[in-house]
Amino acid sequence: MLSRKNFVQSAYAHSSDWAEVRRVADELESFLNSEPVARRITEKNQPGVPSTEIEKIITEKALPLGFQQGSQNLFEHVPNRNLRPDFYLPIGESGILLEVERGKTIQNNMDLLDFWKCHIAERAHYLVLIVPQHLQQSSSSKPSKPFQAVAQRLEAFFMEQNYTNVRGCVVLGY
C-alpha cells in the first residue's frame, strides 16, 4: 500500500494550482496502488536495481498525464543549465516537477537535490517526489525507510519561517 504526505504553504492551500497538483498526485497514487503495478514495482525495488527501472513504470502514467520527460530550458537562468527533472508538467503559470528515486534517495540526498531543482526552476513551484517506503541496498544490508526520512526532512520547508518558492510537495512512497 502506497504512503503519501502532502505539504503546502498556507497561502497556496486553496489555489487552483495546488488542486491540480493534488489531482495529478491522486492519479499517480491510484496507478501505483493498482495490483499489477504494485507487483512490478516490488519486483524492481530490489538490491542493485537502478531507479530507472522504477522510472520506466512511472512513465506509463506520467506521459498520459501530460508530463514531459527530462524537460529542458527550466534552468536557463542558473549557472548549471544541464539540470533536468525526470518529468515536468506545466500548470497555469507554474509547473510540477516529478522526480523518481530509489537507491540514493537519502544516502546521496537526492530528495534534497530534487527539492533544490524545484526551488531554482523558473516555471515549477510544485514537486511530486516518488520514493521507496523500504529500501535494501544489498542482500546483507539492513533495510532503511526512505519515505519516512524524506517526509520528515521536507516537512521543515513547509513551516512558515522556512518557506522557499516551492509552494507545495507531494511525497509518494512505493
Side-chain angles (χ1 to χ4, degrees):
M1 186 74 162
L2 196 76
S3 292
R4 178 174 175 166
K5 279 296 256 184
N6 293 338
F7 302 105
V8 65
Q9 293 177 5
S10 56
Y12 298 98
H14 301 290
S15 70
S16 59
D17 283 354
W18 179 241
E20 180 64 7
V21 172
R22 287 192 338 267
R23 185 195 70 73
V24 167
D26 290 347
E27 293 266 346
L28 288 165
E29 181 177 11
S30 178
F31 172 75
L32 294 169
N33 268 331
S34 70
E35 195 275 326
V37 172
R39 185 175 356 97
R40 288 170 50 213
I41 286 180
T42 298
E43 291 169 2
K44 298 297 183 187
N45 187 23
Q46 301 298 321
V49 178
S51 65
T52 55
E53 293 299 312
I54 304 290
E55 188 178 319
K56 286 178 189 176
I57 297 169
I58 305 300
T59 300
E60 297 170 17
K61 185 65 176 177
L63 295 181
L65 284 172
F67 281 94
Q68 306 158 9
Q69 235 175 340
S71 190
Q72 299 178 357
N73 304 323
L74 290 174
F75 305 99
E76 292 177 325
H77 68 289
V78 296
N80 185 351
R81 294 182 183 103
N82 294 329
L83 293 170
R84 286 185 180 49
D86 291 337
F87 302 93
Y88 170 71
L89 176 66
I91 57 166
E93 296 295 315
S94 186
I96 305 169
L97 295 189
L98 171 59
E99 297 285 353
V100 180
E101 300 299 344
R102 198 189 91 67
K104 300 186 280 184
T105 306
I106 298 298
Q107 292 165 322
N108 288 6
N109 298 315
M110 296 306 287
D111 59 330
L112 297 178
L113 174 67
D114 295 334
F115 189 89
W116 175 74
K117 284 194 292 188
C118 190
H119 172 68
I120 65 170
E122 276 189 278
R123 296 181 314 275
H125 296 96
Y126 298 93
L127 174 65
V128 175
L129 184 55
I130 301 177
V131 302
Q133 291 183 61
H134 302 281
L135 176 68
Q136 189 163 1
Q137 294 289 8
S138 69
S139 56
S140 61
S141 67
K142 183 180 176 184
S144 62
K145 297 179 179 181
F147 173 82
Q148 184 178 358
V150 167
Q152 195 171 38
R153 285 161 49 141
L154 295 184
E155 182 177 22
F157 290 110
F158 294 92
M159 299 169 69
E160 193 168 337
Q161 69 272 20
N162 299 330
Y163 281 175
T164 68
N165 62 349
V166 179
R167 298 172 183 165
C169 176
V170 177
V171 184
L172 298 173
Y174 58 84

